[in-house]
């Protein structure tokens, strides 16, 4: 007998959380527990809202999670004419449908059993979920008491329309194939799949409200589920709603039930497996858009031929799929990572004027190979030979977009001095070729920090900040950093301001982003409050006015004098040096002041002598490269690329050993070092058969 209807409340009406301990632990790990805790009390309910009661009767299909007698979850599908799912009141649902022939749901559906109903409207990409208990079996279906309901985001759903071929209430016997590994037909279904459903379970021994079986939708580009072997699948986990029902269940019980539908012929593939979550590794880094990988170890396979009494139209793919990767690209990316010191040809596929002085160039591999991934903030070494120049020349330009697995984008300022940057503006067009190395650089966004962020830039220094912003604010409203982001940028006027429309759109879609644009000399057409927020410069007083007290990480990029003044100003607020991340363009690096606290690296430094100048310095990892150490010591060595690709900084090593984080792209002559990426060997040096700690002596 169904329990009486509950009076609707504005959200979750219990003091305890709507999530169980597994879900809370994953939310804590990802840094969203507090935020999702608040949102969950608004989105999760113990009853059906009016919207739910209107939505489910419109559906001709519903996806079902159930648990068999062995405690294994299974994902299934029920079909029927619209109205076959009928909410009888706020806490009860009547389902008039029978499981498909060969579906494990035939054995698991019984009074008292856990069940989850996922309603997905493919053509509108709406979806809602019900979690409850089967209360009774009827001649043509069953009834469910509702424990939880939740509206779910519409990401990665492929639009499809359905047409019935026969009466869905009259199941027909179909060929059923069972095994413990994938056969050829099963492989073909998975290889072309753009959708699958996954059921999971957290046994309700601890929690009668939040635990139980749940079912989720997963979507991607066709073939986004990789077949490692006949008993192992690998699938990406893209950005979702941060509730983590499935991962939370797997912390308690890692059984998984997968279902793939062949939308072309109606066959259905059911898989029982154990799930493994991959949180880091080269494959994950190479898969664009993936936050994690799921590895499924197969226990049982059931394939039913032409099971569905209906057919579907061709898919209308989700626009979000363009921002996701594919396993073919992963293979190419991993191969590209092995070509870090090889100059490769790239074709200019697009050119965009971001302002009157900054132009973006989009580059795609011209050699048929993949694209190495990179972290936001890194730069791209390029090599070209302008007409009339005696030799090829190298330059480095910061990548101005987040890694997408298919193209690089650099944004170049016209300097007006006739150099390489001007040549790019004047002579490079779509279809032209530029050689590049893989991206590199140590000025990168710390995605693990999880603190509020302040991005401060001037002029073309905006480029790494846009890349960092794009890496965190994604999918038209989703954010990977659940903390405030303050974007502060200075330039002359609106004509010279790059990425204005893009940043305005980001601010409109993402509530955690705050923009502040400073013009030093606004034009007559600029309007305060519309094109910019203040007039003058970014200085200590402005930062003090704009930034509420908080535990920020600062990222700075701009000319050297701009950087030094802001670095000093931020330090004066009591911010620790290690919270200030810098990238300067200009003749010298910022002079940093490292605080002497227990948190600072106190390992024994390496003595570096500069023979010609008679100066001596102590190098520690915080000092960066030998070039940066020399600049901090008041020297001005020659350099150009700061990436080890041009050889301009080559310096004779009189004593000691110089190490590199990665092999230099430029050949290093015996007895010399590329100090722009080199650092002194921190260990003991063998000299005349004796171990000494005498450091490194450079001919500077």
């Amino acid at each position: 007998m169904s329990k009486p209807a509950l009076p609707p409340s504005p959200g979750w009406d219990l003091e305890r959380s709507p999530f169980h301990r597994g879900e809370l632990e994953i939310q804590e790990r990802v840094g969203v527990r507090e935020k999702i805790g608040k949102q969950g009390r608004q989105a999760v309910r113990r009853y059906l809202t009016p919207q739910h009661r209107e939505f489910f009767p419109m559906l001709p299909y519903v996806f079902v999670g159930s648990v068999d007698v062995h405690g294994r979850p299974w994902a299934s599908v029920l079909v029927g004419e619209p109205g076959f799912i009928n909410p009888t009141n706020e806490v009860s649902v009547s389902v008039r449908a029978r499981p498909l022939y060969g579906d494990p749901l035939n054995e698991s559906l019984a009074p008292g059993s856990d069940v989850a109903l996922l309603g997905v409207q493919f053509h509108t990409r709406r979806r809602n979920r019900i979690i409850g208990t089967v209360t009774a079996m009827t001649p043509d279906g069953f009834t469910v008491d509702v424990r939880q309901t939740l509206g779910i985001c519409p990401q990665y759903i492929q639009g499809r329309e359905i047409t019935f071929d026969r009466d869905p209430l009259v199941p027909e016997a179909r060929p059923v194939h069972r095994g413990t590994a994938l056969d050829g037909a099963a492989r073909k279904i998975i290889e072309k799949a753009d959708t699958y459903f996954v059921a999971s379970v957290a046994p309700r021994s601890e929690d009668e409200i939040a635990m139980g079986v749940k079912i989720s939708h997963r979507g991607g580009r066709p073939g986004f589920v990789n077949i490692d072997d006949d008993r192992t699948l690998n699938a990406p986990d893209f950005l979702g709603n941060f509730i983590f029902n499935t991962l939370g269940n797997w912390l308690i019980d890692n059984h998984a039930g997968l279902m793939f539908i062949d939308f072309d012929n109606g066959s259905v593939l059911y898989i029982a497996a154990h799930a493994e979550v991959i949180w880091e590794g080269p494959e994950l880094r190479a898969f664009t858009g993936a936050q994690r990988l799921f590895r499924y170890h197969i226990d049982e396979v059931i394939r039913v031929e032409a099971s569905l009494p209906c057919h579907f139209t061709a898919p209308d793919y989700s626009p979000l799929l363009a921002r996701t990767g594919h396993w073919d690209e992963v293979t190419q990316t991993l191969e590209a990572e092995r070509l870090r010191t090889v100059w490769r040809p790239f074709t200019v596929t697009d050119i965009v004027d971001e302002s009157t002085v900054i132009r973006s160039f989009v580059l795609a591999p011209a050699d048929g190979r993949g694209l190495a991934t990179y972290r936001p903030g890194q730069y791209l070494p390029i090599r070209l030979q302008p007409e009339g120049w005696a030799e090829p020349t190298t330059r480095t330009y910061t990548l101005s977009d987040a890694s997408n697995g298919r193209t690089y984008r650099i944004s170049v300022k016209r300097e007006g001095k006739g150099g390489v940057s001007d040549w790019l503006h004047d002579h490079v067009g779509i279809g032209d070729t530029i050689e590049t190395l893989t991206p590199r650089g140590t000025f990168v966004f710390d995605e693990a920090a999880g603190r509020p962020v302040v991005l401060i830039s001037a002029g073309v220094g905006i480029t790494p900040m846009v890349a960092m912003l794009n890496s965190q604010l994604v999918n038209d409203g989703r954010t990977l950093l659940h903390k405030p982001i303050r974007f502060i940028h200075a330039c002359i006027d609106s004509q010279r301001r790059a990425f204005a429309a893009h940043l305005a759109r980001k601010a409109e879609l993402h509530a955690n982003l705050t923009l502040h644009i400073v013009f030093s000399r606004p034009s007559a057409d600029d309007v305060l409050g519309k094109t910019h927020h203040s007039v003058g410069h970014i200085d200590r007083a402005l930062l003090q006015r704009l930034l509420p007290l908080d535990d920020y990480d600062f990222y700075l990029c701009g000319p050297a004098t701009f950087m030094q003044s802001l670095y000093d100003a931020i330090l004066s607020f009591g911010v620790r040096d290690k919270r200030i991340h810098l990238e300067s363009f200009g003749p010298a690096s910022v002079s940093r002041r490292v605080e002497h606290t227990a948190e600072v690296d106190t390992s024994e430094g390496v003595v570096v002598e500069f023979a010609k100048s008679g100066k001596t310095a102590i190098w520690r990892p915080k000092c960066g490269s030998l070039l940066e150490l020399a600049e901090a010591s008041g020297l001005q060595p020659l350099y150009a690329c700061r990436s080890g690709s041009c050889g301009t900084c080559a310096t004779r090593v009189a004593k000691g050993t110089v190490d590199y984080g990665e092999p230099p792209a430029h050949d290093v002559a015996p007895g010399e070092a590329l100090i722009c990426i080199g650092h002194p060997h921190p260990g003991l040096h063998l000299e005349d058969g004796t171990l000494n700690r005498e450091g490194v002596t450079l001919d500077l």
Side-chain angles (χ1 to χ4, degrees):
M1 181 175 181
S2 179
K3 56 188 176 183
L6 293 173
S9 60
W12 188 250
D13 60 344
L14 299 180
E15 183 177 349
R16 53 138 300 166
S17 171
F19 308 116
H20 63 66
R21 62 179 175 86
E23 294 162 334
L24 293 172
E25 185 173 333
I26 299 294
Q27 292 169 16
E28 181 72 30
R29 173 171 183 160
V30 178
V32 299
R33 179 168 176 170
E34 181 179 356
K35 177 180 179 179
I36 297 301
K38 294 177 182 177
Q39 292 182 353
R41 291 188 171 276
Q42 299 172 342
V44 182
R45 297 174 173 86
R46 295 196 298 143
Y47 62 90
L48 294 161
T49 67
Q51 181 269 335
H52 292 149
R53 298 182 69 183
E54 294 174 1
F55 173 74
F56 279 96
M58 294 190 294
L59 300 176
Y61 44 77
V62 69
F63 303 95
V64 184
S66 65
V67 186
D68 67 15
V69 294
H70 304 292
R72 298 183 305 177
W74 291 91
S76 304
V77 59
L78 293 173
V79 294
E81 296 292 345
F84 84 100
I85 308 170
N86 179 33
T88 54
N89 58 46
E90 289 89 350
V91 293
S92 300
V93 178
S94 171
V95 180
R96 185 172 177 265
R98 296 192 178 105
L100 298 175
Y101 189 84
D103 190 323
L105 187 61
N106 284 286
E107 283 73 46
S108 60
L109 202 59
S113 62
D114 271 358
V115 69
L117 305 178
L118 177 64
V120 179
Q121 200 170 48
F122 284 135
H123 65 285
T124 65
R125 298 189 172 94
R126 294 172 61 191
R127 56 178 170 167
N128 293 282
R129 186 167 59 211
I130 296 171
I131 299 170
T133 305
V134 175
T135 52
M137 301 299 297
T138 63
D140 56 4
F142 57 97
T143 59
V144 177
D145 269 2
V146 175
R147 290 201 312 275
Q148 277 194 5
T149 64
L150 174 65
I152 313 173
C153 63
Q155 300 187 91
Y156 318 112
I157 296 176
Q158 325 319 338
R160 286 182 165 94
E161 300 279 2
I162 184 175
T163 300
F164 283 99
D165 302 317
R166 59 181 189 268
D167 186 349
L169 283 175
V170 183
E172 293 186 7
R174 315 301 301 174
V176 178
H177 307 269
R178 296 177 180 270
T180 58
L182 301 174
D183 61 14
R187 293 177 69 100
K188 289 180 180 179
I189 293 174
I190 296 172
E191 287 169 350
K192 68 178 181 180
D194 56 44
T195 300
Y196 76 95
F197 296 85
V198 55
S200 60
V201 63
R204 289 200 290 136
S205 57
E206 303 175 30
D207 189 325
E208 292 297 312
I209 296 293
M211 288 185 166
V213 66
K214 294 172 184 175
I215 183 169
S216 296
H217 164 278
R218 292 291 189 272
R221 294 160 62 189
F224 77 114
V225 179
N226 190 58
I227 302 173
D228 291 356
D229 56 51
D230 288 345
R231 298 198 60 176
T232 312
L233 303 177
N234 216 348
D237 181 35
F238 300 129
L239 186 68
N241 55 24
F242 295 101
I243 290 176
F244 298 116
N245 291 144
T246 302
L247 274 73
N249 279 357
W250 285 342
L251 268 188
I252 298 169
D253 185 320
N254 72 340
H255 282 90
L258 312 181
M259 181 182 65
F260 295 85
I261 296 174
D262 188 326
F263 291 103
D264 295 328
N265 61 29
S267 297
V268 181
L269 179 66
Y270 309 91
I271 297 175
H274 284 77
E276 175 188 1
V277 182
I278 310 299
W279 291 92
E280 57 184 22
E283 284 189 332
L284 174 59
R285 290 192 295 271
F287 204 119
T288 301
Q291 306 300 304
R292 289 152 294 274
L293 297 178
F294 298 153
R295 185 165 292 138
Y296 297 111
H297 303 278
I298 295 173
D299 300 315
E300 185 176 353
V301 178
I302 302 173
R303 179 172 56 84
V304 185
E305 295 183 24
S307 175
L308 287 169
C310 54
H311 65 269
F312 292 84
T313 59
D316 171 23
Y317 290 117
S318 166
L320 297 183
L321 297 190
R323 304 172 188 175
T324 65
H326 191 276
W327 288 103
D328 291 342
E329 294 168 359
V330 170
T331 301
Q332 291 183 325
T333 295
L334 294 176
E335 173 61 26
E337 295 286 354
R338 292 188 280 270
L339 302 173
R340 294 196 62 81
T341 61
V342 177
W343 289 99
R344 296 174 52 202
F346 276 66
T347 301
V348 178
T349 60
D350 196 13
I351 296 175
V352 179
D353 285 332
E354 311 292 357
S355 74
T356 56
V357 294
I358 296 176
R359 175 171 290 179
S360 289
F361 298 86
V362 179
L363 310 173
D367 56 7
R369 290 172 163 171
L371 197 75
T373 188
Y374 62 91
R375 296 177 63 185
Q378 290 189 301
Y379 55 79
L380 185 71
I382 71 168
R383 184 171 71 179
L384 44 78
Q385 187 171 2
E387 186 177 351
W389 291 33
E391 295 181 353
T393 185
T394 61
R395 292 292 186 271
T396 60
Y397 294 100
T398 303
L399 290 148
S400 61
D401 199 0
S403 180
N404 63 26
R406 291 178 283 279
T407 58
Y408 294 140
R409 186 179 76 180
I410 58 174
S411 299
V412 181
K413 178 186 176 184
R414 179 188 290 277
E415 299 291 349
K417 300 178 181 178
V420 173
S421 296
D422 293 350
W423 192 88
L424 286 167
H425 275 255
D426 294 334
H427 298 284
V428 172
I430 294 175
D432 288 343
T433 299
I434 295 175
E435 289 185 306
T436 84
L437 292 175
T438 55
R440 52 202 67 205
T442 58
F443 177 64
V444 294
F445 188 78
D446 184 0
E447 297 181 354
R451 287 183 286 268
V453 167
V454 183
L455 306 174
I456 306 176
S457 58
V460 75
I462 195 173
T463 53
M465 305 309 178
V466 171
M468 292 177 184
L469 198 69
N470 289 353
S471 75
Q472 298 303 299
L473 304 183
V474 300
N475 289 8
D476 293 338
R478 292 288 177 181
T479 179
L480 291 174
L481 178 65
H482 296 267
K483 298 289 183 180
I485 301 174
R486 298 185 179 272
F487 194 105
I488 305 172
H489 177 64
C491 58
I492 295 175
D493 57 23
S494 59
Q495 295 299 306
R496 294 170 177 82
R497 179 189 169 191
F499 305 106
H502 176 75
L503 292 174
R505 178 67 173 163
K506 287 289 185 184
E508 178 184 345
L509 292 172
H510 299 272
N512 64 327
L513 172 62
T514 302
L515 297 180
H516 190 93
I517 307 300
V518 183
F519 285 173
S520 59
R521 298 195 302 275
S523 69
D525 296 329
D526 291 332
V527 179
L528 187 65
K530 184 177 181 180
T531 56
H532 59 293
H533 303 96
S534 64
V535 177
H537 301 278
I538 303 175
D539 55 19
R540 189 183 192 281
L542 180 65
L543 295 182
Q544 195 167 29
R545 177 165 63 86
L546 293 180
L547 301 179
L549 290 176
D550 211 334
D551 187 22
Y552 298 105
D553 274 358
F554 289 84
Y555 293 82
L556 314 179
C557 186
T561 54
F562 168 86
M563 300 283 287
Q564 189 68 62
S565 65
L566 285 178
Y567 173 79
D568 293 339
I570 295 168
L571 279 185
S572 74
F573 294 146
V575 177
R576 288 173 290 176
D577 172 85
K578 70 176 185 177
R579 294 286 181 85
I580 308 174
H581 310 269
L582 307 171
E583 179 79 323
S584 62
F585 51 89
S589 300
V590 171
S591 177
R592 306 190 69 144
R593 298 197 298 274
V594 181
E595 69 271 27
H596 296 285
T597 69
E599 295 186 23
V600 175
D601 180 12
T602 57
S603 60
E604 185 175 358
V606 180
V607 176
V608 178
E609 295 181 347
F610 302 108
K612 288 183 178 179
S613 63
K615 294 185 176 183
T616 299
I618 303 297
W619 180 91
R620 292 184 174 87
K622 185 72 175 179
C623 298
S625 68
L626 283 167
L627 173 59
E628 291 172 298
L629 182 68
E631 290 174 334
S633 301
L635 304 181
Q636 294 185 338
L638 292 175
Y639 72 88
C641 68
R642 299 185 87 101
S643 65
S645 58
C646 71
T648 303
C649 69
T651 302
R652 190 175 73 86
V653 181
K655 181 184 292 186
T657 303
V658 173
D659 295 335
Y660 302 99
E662 57 183 309
H666 193 276
D667 293 334
V668 184
E672 291 187 349
L674 301 183
I675 62 173
C676 71
I677 62 169
H679 56 83
H681 185 73
L684 300 175
H685 303 282
L686 183 65
E687 186 175 323
D688 298 329
T690 304
L691 286 174
N692 296 290
R693 190 184 292 275
E694 294 188 4
V696 172
T697 301
L698 300 176
D699 193 21
L700 288 174

